[in-house]
Amino acid sequence: MIAPSFPPYEFSEALVNAKLCLALMESGHTIHVISRPSEQFYTKDWSSVWEPLKAINFYVDETPVKPIQRYWELFQAVLYFKLPLEGVRWASKAVDLGLELHQKHNYDLVMSRMPSNIAHLVGAKIKASTALPWIANWNDPTENIRPGMNFQNRFQSYLINRFVKTSFRNADLNTFPSQLLWEHYNEKIIKTKTDKVKVIPHIGIHAEDFDVNQAPGKPISICHAGNMLSNVKALKVLKAFSKIKHEDRLAFQFHVFGVIDPEMPGQIESLGLKEEIFCHAPKDYFSMLKSLAGFDYLMILEAPYPKGILLLSKLSDYASIQRPIVAISPKVGVIADYLNEYGGGLILDNQDEHAIYEGLRKIISKEISIEGSKALKNVFSPKVVVKQHEESFYRCLGDNKKLV
């Protein structure tokens, strides 16, 4: 697996890759990961839950070198990949490391996983050198086709599009966490009919031992786990909470664990919500799951895109601990589809301030009550998602070879 985002650097993409590795290992697969240190993380210390991944995680040799040697290596890497993308120097060394590991372990296939584009550069080169089947995973839109963004650099957009088309064509299989994300890629870049695509959702985690300790009579508590930055437009939610407090005179608590928009503390104070809204530093993954199990509702707050094409990884975590979900999301989108089909949540249109207010008011006043969904939990269960990955492995390997 080529996964630039990986523990101990905990962030959403790293957690998705880590959970998949753990589940594959528990199912009897041998897997090695080439990753890189990250500057973006909730925490960077190895936690006990990821301890089994320590021995399978490999870093390329990035010993500091003199600037002139670094620039020379960068120049060679750009020529090697024929693409001036960020991270090509690391990618060049990752290819060398991958080939070295293959000589020792004789792998069956190689997987490359976003969000970093450079993972696919590595996967493509390893396939070309070894003839190993290659599965390319696309978890996010590339930056030039991200909804809500007006990407201005036409030359860079051309390079990204060329990279995506080439990677997509050369991979034996391309996986996406949602059908809508695949359709977005196809509409914006790929523009072809193909059977080299498989939709596999993010994987959950075994969470049978989490206790839910609710003190009777305490106010309804809601939690958002993850960053809450300017792109999600949280002000509509804060205004709804303010109205619920000052006009409806209802008691509640709202907790946010993660990095928040710098303007948010001032907004909380100006709306008179300092006693109801609590912003916390991020926790390590397992500690966060334990904390989430104690809240009445777990919130998903999506950016106001025209269509919700992303399967946010927190949905699989929320579902794993079977807590009810408040999804403030696009009316048409992946999150809405899952909750409509499998239950376990309330969907509120994130473009509609009144709908947000009414939905939050109803659950806080206990006018409505929502239970967690076992059916939704099963969709993301490690056993179910691993089976889908195994189907993709066998599809790439063909009928003549079976994994041990």
Side-chain angles (χ1 to χ4, degrees):
M1 179 186 286
I2 314 301
S5 296
F6 203 70
Y9 302 90
E10 291 192 4
F11 200 67
S12 53
E13 295 84 1
L15 296 172
V16 167
N17 294 332
K19 288 186 289 180
L20 177 57
C21 278
L22 277 183
L24 288 170
M25 292 166 66
E26 289 172 1
S27 296
H29 297 280
T30 298
I31 182 166
H32 293 151
V33 181
I34 296 177
S35 70
R36 71 189 298 201
S38 175
E39 295 180 358
Q40 191 175 40
F41 50 80
Y42 301 131
T43 179
K44 61 177 182 178
D45 298 318
W46 283 102
S47 63
S48 58
V49 68
W50 308 131
E51 195 68 28
L53 303 179
K54 243 182 178 180
I56 68 162
N57 187 18
F58 294 85
Y59 293 114
V60 304
D61 181 8
E62 292 198 284
T63 304
V65 296
K66 293 180 179 180
I68 190 169
Q69 182 178 345
R70 181 180 180 86
Y71 287 127
W72 174 243
E73 291 176 353
L74 180 59
F75 175 71
Q76 288 180 309
V78 170
L79 289 180
Y80 180 53
F81 292 111
K82 297 181 176 62
L83 276 173
L85 296 178
E86 186 279 327
V88 290
R89 179 173 172 267
W90 174 87
S92 177
K93 295 186 176 187
V95 171
D96 293 338
L97 176 56
L99 295 176
E100 179 186 332
L101 289 170
H102 180 55
Q103 287 293 318
K104 295 179 182 177
H105 301 285
N106 191 28
Y107 300 115
D108 292 296
L109 54 83
V110 58
M111 303 172 67
S112 57
R113 297 183 60 85
M114 284 185 79
S116 175
N117 295 333
I118 57 174
H120 298 327
L121 293 180
V122 180
K125 287 293 186 182
I126 291 177
K127 177 188 174 177
S129 298
T130 64
L132 285 174
W134 167 36
I135 299 174
N137 166 256
W138 308 83
N139 270 340
D140 286 294
T142 49
E143 59 182 339
N144 63 323
I145 62 167
R146 188 171 292 278
M149 288 184 64
N150 184 16
F151 196 77
Q152 298 289 337
N153 191 324
R154 290 187 178 182
F155 177 67
Q156 190 177 7
S157 185
Y158 162 77
L159 291 177
I160 294 172
N161 286 353
R162 195 183 80 176
F163 151 77
V164 171
K165 288 180 179 179
T166 303
S167 299
F168 193 94
R169 182 176 63 249
N170 290 337
D172 294 272
L173 187 67
N174 296 275
T175 61
F176 294 82
S178 77
Q179 180 68 25
L180 288 178
L181 181 58
W182 153 233
E183 291 172 0
H184 184 71
Y185 265 93
N186 201 23
E187 176 190 348
K188 299 295 184 182
I189 300 179
I190 307 298
K191 300 180 180 179
T192 188
K193 291 184 178 179
T194 178
D195 61 354
K196 295 203 316 180
V197 169
K198 185 174 178 64
V199 174
I200 305 177
H202 294 313
I203 196 165
I205 199 165
H206 298 296
E208 309 302 334
D209 299 326
F210 288 100
D211 295 321
V212 180
N213 298 312
Q214 295 290 345
K218 78 173 187 179
I220 289 289
S221 59
I222 305 171
C223 178
H224 179 280
N227 295 343
M228 190 175 280
L229 300 172
S230 59
N231 65 308
V232 299
K233 312 297 182 188
L235 185 57
K236 291 179 182 179
V237 176
L238 299 182
K239 287 181 177 179
F241 279 133
S242 180
K243 190 174 181 180
I244 290 167
K245 174 184 178 178
H246 298 294
E247 295 184 18
D248 300 303
R249 300 189 179 282
L250 296 172
F252 62 89
Q253 290 185 358
F254 179 52
H255 294 255
V256 178
F257 290 84
V259 180
I260 61 172
D261 182 356
E263 295 185 5
M264 193 167 161
Q267 293 168 344
I268 291 171
E269 185 168 2
S270 66
L271 291 168
L273 294 169
K274 289 184 69 176
E275 295 180 0
E276 286 76 26
I277 298 182
F278 307 90
C279 299
H280 311 274
K283 290 185 175 184
D284 69 83
Y285 179 72
F286 205 64
S287 297
M288 189 70 251
L289 282 182
K290 288 182 177 179
S291 295
L292 290 177
F295 289 95
D296 294 295
Y297 291 91
L298 304 179
M299 179 183 287
I300 292 174
L301 178 57
E302 288 194 77
Y305 297 154
K307 186 184 292 186
I309 64 174
L310 302 178
L311 174 57
L312 303 183
S313 60
K314 61 169 57 69
L315 179 64
S316 64
D317 293 324
Y318 289 0
S320 291
I321 56 176
Q322 214 171 318
R323 303 301 301 138
I325 296 164
V326 180
I328 302 176
S329 302
K331 286 192 297 185
V332 177
V334 178
I335 303 296
D337 288 346
Y338 271 108
L339 294 181
N340 281 328
E341 183 169 357
Y342 298 102
L346 176 67
I347 307 159
L348 307 176
D349 182 359
N350 63 353
Q351 304 269 18
D352 188 336
E353 285 194 36
H354 182 70
I356 294 171
Y357 158 71
E358 274 296 308
L360 291 174
R361 182 192 63 78
K362 286 179 179 179
I363 64 172
I364 289 170
S365 66
K366 301 182 181 179
E367 185 177 325
I368 60 173
S369 179
I370 300 166
E371 299 296 326
S373 166
K374 187 174 182 180
L376 185 65
K377 176 181 178 178
N378 289 340
V379 169
F380 303 106
S381 78
K383 183 178 180 180
V384 169
V385 177
V386 162
K387 183 177 180 181
Q388 293 176 63
H389 279 282
E390 289 176 335
E391 290 170 355
S392 73
F393 299 161
Y394 296 134
R395 178 174 167 181
C396 290
L397 290 165
D399 294 333
N400 296 326
K401 187 172 184 180
K402 296 296 183 182
L403 295 172
V404 176

